[in-house]
Amino acid sequence: MEFLNEYMLPIVLGICLCTGYIVKKWLKDVDNKYIPTIVAVLGVVLASWISNWTITPQVLLSGLVSGLASTGMHQLFIQYIEKHENKE
């Protein structure tokens, strides 16, 4: 699985992470099972945008890996947010 790290796009990961957080926190009508699909599609769109709207297998994989990795980073993000909210 480590070979997928070379396809990770940090900017796409960050945008998808924040978008997933907003969807989960503010859109109560969206079931949690749809959030990975939303961020995966968003990741592909963003990766395509970064590559001047080119769709190649590498761009597709980069978008999917970055978008789906954002769901895995969600817990880390939540702990970071809650830690800072508790300080205030």
Side-chain angles (χ1 to χ4, degrees):
M1 295 295 284
E2 288 183 26
F3 74 94
L4 292 176
N5 286 339
E6 70 184 69
Y7 293 101
M8 190 81 62
L9 299 171
I11 190 75
V12 175
L13 178 89
I15 292 170
C16 289
L17 176 63
C18 293
T19 302
Y21 177 78
I22 290 168
V23 168
K24 184 169 179 68
K25 188 82 169 176
W26 298 106
L27 300 178
K28 301 298 182 190
D29 295 341
V30 177
D31 192 354
N32 286 342
K33 69 181 179 183
Y34 297 118
I35 294 174
T37 304
I38 292 167
V39 295
V41 170
L42 178 61
V44 170
V45 170
L46 291 170
S48 175
W49 182 24
I50 289 170
S51 66
N52 294 319
W53 299 110
T54 304
I55 299 289
T56 64
Q58 289 83 7
V59 170
L60 182 64
L61 182 59
S62 292
L64 289 171
V65 167
S66 300
L68 292 173
S70 71
T71 61
M73 291 191 65
H74 179 259
Q75 279 302 321
L76 180 65
F77 186 67
I78 291 296
Q79 291 172 3
Y80 177 78
I81 294 292
E82 289 176 355
K83 180 180 175 182
H84 286 294
E85 285 179 350
N86 290 338
K87 285 184 179 179
E88 293 175 0

